[in-house]
Every structure is written in C-alpha cells, then in structure tokens.
Amino acid sequence: MPDTNATLTSRKEWLALNAAREQLASTHMRDLFRDDPDRATRYQVEGAGLTLDFSRNRLTDESLQHLLQLAQACGLEKRRAALFDGDIVNVTEHRPALHTALRADESSVVCVQGENIVPEIHRTLARMEALTNAVHSGERTGFTGDRFTDVVSIGIGGSFLGPKLVAEALHPYRQGSITCHFVANIDGTDVTETLSTLKPETTLFLVQSKSFRTQETLENSLVARQWFLDNGGTDAAVAKHFMAVTANVEEARRFGIEPDNTFPMWDWVGGRYSLWSAIGLPIALTLGMKHFRALLAGARTMDEHFRQAPPEANLPVIMAMLSVWYTNFWDAQSHAVLPYDEYLKFLPEHLQQLDMESNGKRVTQRGADVNYQTGPILWGGVGANGQHAYHQLIHQGTRLIPADFIIPLKARHPVAHHHAALFANCLSQARAMMAGKTEAEAEQELLDTGLAPDAARRLAPHKAIPGNRPCNILLMEQLTPESLGALIALYEHRTFVQSVIWDIDCFDQWGVELGKQIGNEILPRLLGEAQGGSAGDSATDNLIRLFLSRG
Ligand code: F6P
C-alpha cells in the first residue's frame, strides 16, 4: 500500500493558511469592505480580455500571499513550463498534454520525441479550412449533388461537450448555412430523434472519437450509417457523407472511413482539451474557419497571460488558489459556475468534464493516498434561471458554495433593457452572497411593513441571510470567439494549477474505465448472448433477470 502523502499538509505555507483561516473565521466580508475602500479595485485583475473581480472572497492581502506562496512552494513555475514544453505531465499514461500547442502560432516550435508538432497542427487546420470552405461554397456536396445543410457530430465526453458549447455559444457568428446536431448518448432516443429531422442526401456525419473504441460513439455511428443506407444512400456514397476525427486511423478504416476522410488526433491531446483540434470541426463548419481561428487566438492570449503574468495578477492562478482555499481550508464541497449569458448555457457541462474528470483523483502522482480533499463538485447553470431554483440553497443553505458569475458587458441581442436587468440580477446575487441580511435588518424591514413586533421577531430568522459566501465575477466586453477562447483556456489552466497543488495527474481518467469494463460483461447477458453464473453480485443479477423478463 502506498504511504499517505503528508508532504502538502505539513508545508509551512499550508500551516500558515490554516492559521489565516482561523484568524478570518470570525470576520465577515462586510467588514473587509468597510475597512478597505479600495478593496474592489485592489482585488481586480485583467488578462486576455477578461476581468476578474475577486473582491467578494474571504481573503485578505495576507491570506492571498500565503496562497500564492503555496503555489510557488508546490513548484507551479516548473510544472507550468513542463506543460508548455511538452514534458511528460500525464505520468500514468506517459504522455505530454499539449492542448496549448494546438493554438500556438505557426512559427512556434513545440517538440514531442524530438519532432516539432506545430507544422502538422497547422496542416490539419488547413485541411479543416479546405473542408469548411468546400462545404460552405457547395464545391463539396452529398451523393445527389445537393449541398450539405446539416452536420451530425457523433461523439461523447470531450469529443462532444467542447464543440457543442462553442458552436452554440457563438451562434451569432455563424457563417454558411450549416446546422450542426450533436449525438452523444447511447440512449437510442438521441440518435433517433436527431435523424428523424434530416435528409441523408444533405447530411454530413462526423464520427468524433480519439480512440475510435467508445461504445456510445461506435453504436450511434452504426445506426447513422444504416439509416443512411436505408434511406437512399449507397455503400459508395458513405465515403462522401462520413468523416472521422481520430487517433486510430485503422479502426476508422475498418468502420469504412478512408484515411482521406479522416482528420488526425494525437496521443498528446486529452479528450477534454481537444476542442482546439480537428475535434472542433463542428465549430468550424458552423462558424467558419475565420471564427475558429479567432477562438484559437483568444485561447493563445490566455496561454501567454498564464505563462507571463506575475502570480498576483494571473487569472488562472488566482482562481485556482481560491478554489484550493475553499476546498481545503473552508470545507467547501462544490463550486458553482453561473454564466449570466444564455449563449453560455452549456459552459457548466463542459467545465464539469474538464474539472471533474481532471481533478477527481485520490492518489498523488506517485500513487500515495492524499490526506486532503481534491477536486470539488462543479455544477451550475445560466442566470437568471438558477435564481428561481438553486440559489435559495446558495444563500440560506448550510453549505458553503463558492461561485463564479460570468457576464459580458455588452449583449449580442438588441433588447438593451434586458441586458441591464440581467446585469442587475448578476450584481444583486453577488452582493446578496457577500453581504447577506442580518436578523436585525430582517426584523426592522418587517416592522417597517407594519408587522407586529412579536410576529416580526418570529419571522426574522427565516428571512435573515448570513452572507459571507464567496464569489468571483468574470467580465468580458462581449462574448466573441476571442473572449470565449480565453475563457475556456482560463478554466483549463485553473484546473491544471489546482492539480499542481494537489499533486495529482489531471490528464488521465482511469476512474471511468471500471464502469465500461463491467458494462461490457453485463451487455451480453441482457442481449441473451451469455447465460449462467453471476454478473458479479446478486443485486446486478436480480435486475438483469427483471430486464430479461420483459422480453
Ligand atoms: O470515458 C471518458 C472518455 O475517455 C473521455 O475522457 C473522452 O473525452 C471520452 O471518453 C470520449 O473518448 P473518445 O474520444 O476516445 O471516443
């Protein structure tokens, strides 16, 4: 058995943070604002076109310093350099994690096993551009000569969430007239409902799978191909209508997709970091390559900011260390991401995979058990909708839930009044979390409405809101390809910095494998292809019997 890793919790910076937490335990953020008129501007940093207002945190200059010192003590600078340089940062799979190279400019040099990978990345971008332009211009058509009108992206996890987020978020930047659909779930409803609206002769399918081994993706692709053949398509026409993005060209060929119709993925890109690669084809086909390149440029600007800005002005570093602060010192179990922008409604889903698949780990890089909490549960949804659902628990529940509010200063719609109302909602929620309302204030308010003193006293505890609940506000001028690229890259780097502190491998995902393995043993039993013995335990056997009894 590996030893418990006690290194982190016995560091002097960690102990200093324990003491800082003790000191701050009885301080309300209201007091921090009262005592420092400049707090709002002093706790605000900018980078890559984004502004982070982190003034509403249980933070003093001293505790912030300790957090940044902890980052330094954990070797952040060295680990960051290793990430960008293509060192083996995914230790359990012995791979680099070079999503940053996917958005590096053409003159950069990034080597993997002695070979500069940047030229191949740019050749792939050029191929994506050629395909996108050919589809948009009608030069590339379906088997009847009709223009493509629809693209179905079949993929799951990282081969789905990022492209879907971006294609939907940048809808106002659409170029051409392609409608993109996403099929992910093995629940047949997903593929059936999607196909029911489409015509084979005008539909292009992208099979998106780094491994080309993912059950959901392969099964959905088989259904799509059969639907294509059943509705007028021919075997020869499959080549015109099915393309793949994969690192497993051989498997794609076995499926019937020729290398000419296959775009590369590489071992050194993790699925959840892959939207910047050809996995981003649904984005390019929907928005045009100009906007895809602008997305890459925005992410590149954030990469530069992350590499160069000093820790006290570095957005990913500050956001990551605040997460460490609440996770490890204030017992926060979850983190809410609350975009106040309808276009960003899929952001929490993408960040869930990014953060929870990356930092949902319980041993250090060397395999020792951690003796501290690691990745919190990330969840969220768009404001203002969430205010009428889960914000109640954020404000008055027993749990501490730090939140990120994300909002553009200018909207992409013409209803100006609505944007002011949305902005007001965002600011009011952040203020309510920070300041709350004391019982005395609640009681006074009730008295002011004419309520009898007794009744006011009885009701006041229910109306009091403790406040002192931390949040960040992330602002951008407007939601553009550049700012969205920067925003996603910001969270990628935040995730990485957290993993450096927790000393975990944020680029593997062994935890998802066991379920796949067990599922492969159960399926033949449900299909009647395997009988006898046990599937592992009586509870599973019992429900297999129930399923089979329904024929
Ligand atoms: O099962 C998890 C996972 O491996 C993710 O990390 C990945 O993004 C997803 O499955 C899809 O994998 P692939 O692109 O190989 O089909």
Side-chain angles (χ1 to χ4, degrees):
M1 279 293 286
D3 290 330
T4 294
N5 172 48
T7 319
L8 178 60
T9 52
S10 54
R11 280 188 190 282
K12 69 176 189 316
E13 296 79 9
W14 188 277
L15 302 177
L17 282 163
N18 266 334
R21 184 234 181 273
E22 287 297 309
Q23 256 181 7
L24 264 174
S26 54
T27 306
H28 197 286
M29 268 190 257
R30 280 185 182 209
D31 305 332
L32 297 176
F33 273 94
R34 186 201 54 216
D35 295 345
D36 179 4
D38 296 331
R39 184 172 175 89
T41 45
R42 290 197 315 107
Y43 285 77
Q44 183 172 309
V45 290
E46 284 174 28
L50 305 181
T51 300
L52 170 68
D53 170 359
F54 63 107
S55 58
R56 297 169 197 78
N57 277 288
R58 296 180 182 180
L59 201 66
T60 57
D61 291 359
E62 195 197 356
S63 40
L64 178 60
Q65 273 320 307
H66 291 317
L67 284 169
L68 299 178
Q69 280 158 3
L70 178 66
Q72 194 186 16
C74 291
L76 176 60
E77 274 180 37
K78 221 167 137 200
R79 295 286 305 281
R80 179 176 53 199
L83 175 76
F84 280 89
D85 290 349
D87 293 356
I88 305 293
V89 288
N90 180 351
V91 288
T92 69
E93 295 179 295
H94 206 68
R95 292 172 185 165
L98 278 170
H99 41 287
T100 51
L102 296 172
R103 51 230 190 189
D105 64 35
E106 215 164 348
S107 58
S108 312
V109 176
V110 183
C111 291
V112 172
Q113 290 170 347
E115 201 182 316
N116 183 10
I117 57 172
V118 177
E120 199 191 344
I121 291 168
H122 281 266
R123 274 197 298 278
T124 304
L125 286 170
R127 277 186 68 198
M128 289 169 69
E129 183 144 33
L131 174 69
T132 303
N133 291 345
V135 168
H136 285 185
S137 67
E139 182 195 324
R140 185 174 174 132
T141 63
F143 68 100
T144 57
D146 286 340
R147 277 172 178 248
F148 287 116
T149 55
D150 296 87
V151 168
V152 179
S153 167
I154 307 176
I156 198 164
S159 300
F160 157 59
L161 293 162
K164 180 171 138 185
L165 157 65
V166 177
E168 303 274 345
L170 297 178
H171 197 258
Y173 290 87
R174 259 179 107 200
Q175 276 187 349
S177 50
I178 293 291
T179 304
C180 198
H181 312 260
F182 292 89
V183 171
N185 202 342
I186 190 68
D187 181 337
T189 302
D190 199 1
V191 66
T192 312
E193 284 292 342
T194 304
L195 295 177
S196 72
T197 63
L198 301 173
K199 291 193 200 139
E201 61 273 22
T202 53
T203 303
L204 179 65
F205 292 93
L206 297 174
V207 183
Q208 308 247 84
S209 178
K210 178 180 169 185
S211 61
F212 223 86
R213 291 215 170 87
T214 305
Q215 181 203 40
E216 295 88 340
T217 303
L218 297 185
E219 293 292 339
N220 280 326
S221 301
L222 287 172
V223 171
R225 191 172 57 180
Q226 196 53 52
W227 169 87
F228 179 76
L229 294 173
D230 291 347
N231 289 279
T234 59
D235 278 324
V238 166
K240 277 182 172 275
H241 287 257
F242 282 78
M243 309 191 83
V245 181
T246 186
N248 192 347
V249 180
E250 250 333 287
E251 275 302 319
R253 190 206 290 265
R254 261 196 282 278
F255 179 89
I257 302 175
E258 289 305 314
D260 272 1
N261 284 329
T262 299
F263 287 78
M265 256 289 271
W266 303 278
D267 268 356
W268 40 261
V269 184
R272 51 195 174 272
Y273 302 88
S274 65
L275 72 91
W276 322 99
S277 71
I279 287 288
L281 262 176
I283 304 171
L285 285 161
T286 315
L287 308 177
M289 206 55 195
K290 174 176 137 202
H291 293 135
F292 187 74
R293 288 187 189 276
L295 180 85
L296 298 180
R300 182 162 63 241
T301 315
M302 181 53 74
D303 294 341
E304 288 313 310
H305 169 80
F306 177 45
R307 284 176 102 163
Q308 285 164 11
E312 65 279 8
N314 195 306
L315 272 75
V317 174
I318 292 172
M319 286 178 69
M321 295 315 294
L322 284 170
S323 170
V324 169
W325 182 223
Y326 295 117
T327 301
N328 298 113
F329 298 91
W330 297 89
D331 203 24
Q333 300 294 316
S334 82
H335 183 90
V337 175
L338 309 172
Y340 275 60
D341 188 313
E342 192 64 23
Y343 285 121
L344 289 176
K345 60 175 175 280
F346 296 118
L347 181 68
E349 267 182 76
H350 173 67
L351 297 186
Q352 262 176 346
Q353 190 207 14
L354 172 66
D355 207 68
M356 292 165 78
E357 199 165 72
S358 296
N359 285 336
K361 310 287 164 63
R362 47 170 292 286
V363 297
T364 67
Q365 295 197 81
R366 289 170 311 287
D369 291 348
V370 297
N371 61 343
Y372 42 83
Q373 295 284 348
T374 59
I377 299 155
L378 192 148
W379 63 279
V382 281
N385 301 11
Q387 293 171 208
H388 300 271
Y390 40 75
H391 281 226
Q392 165 63 34
L393 189 146
I394 293 180
H395 292 302
Q396 282 191 315
T398 53
R399 293 162 204 282
L400 180 73
I401 305 177
D404 293 343
F405 292 89
I406 302 169
I407 189 160
L409 289 163
K410 290 190 213 132
R412 298 267 344 163
H413 59 72
V415 206
H417 173 74
H418 278 218
H419 194 56
L422 185 75
F423 210 83
N425 273 284
C426 176
L427 290 185
S428 76
Q429 289 300 309
R431 169 151 176 84
M433 282 183 75
M434 185 280 281
K437 182 189 285 184
T438 64
E439 207 167 308
E441 287 167 346
E443 192 173 333
Q444 190 55 52
E445 266 181 25
L446 290 165
L447 290 172
D448 292 347
T449 65
L451 203 68
D454 260 13
R457 209 166 308 123
R458 269 199 311 277
L459 196 50
H462 298 277
K463 299 198 92 173
I465 294 180
N468 207 27
R469 307 220 156 167
C471 66
N472 294 315
I473 300 188
L474 257 175
L475 300 142
M476 63 194 79
E477 223 21 61
Q478 200 162 39
L479 187 61
T480 61
E482 289 85 352
S483 62
L484 182 60
L487 180 69
I488 298 171
L490 163 62
Y491 277 93
E492 288 178 352
H493 295 318
R494 171 188 181 272
T495 300
F496 172 72
V497 175
Q498 290 167 324
S499 79
V500 170
I501 308 304
W502 294 323
D503 189 21
I504 54 184
D505 185 338
C506 66
F507 298 112
D508 63 14
Q509 61 282 321
W510 299 107
V512 296
E513 294 306 318
L514 179 61
K516 291 185 194 172
Q517 205 180 320
I518 298 173
N520 287 337
E521 288 158 19
I522 293 174
L523 183 60
R525 292 171 182 274
L526 297 180
L527 295 173
E529 293 165 5
Q531 283 121 18
S534 167
D537 59 78
S538 61
T540 309
D541 292 340
N542 195 28
L543 293 187
I544 290 176
R545 271 195 301 276
L546 181 66
F547 181 87
L548 289 174
S549 74
R550 295 303 188 270

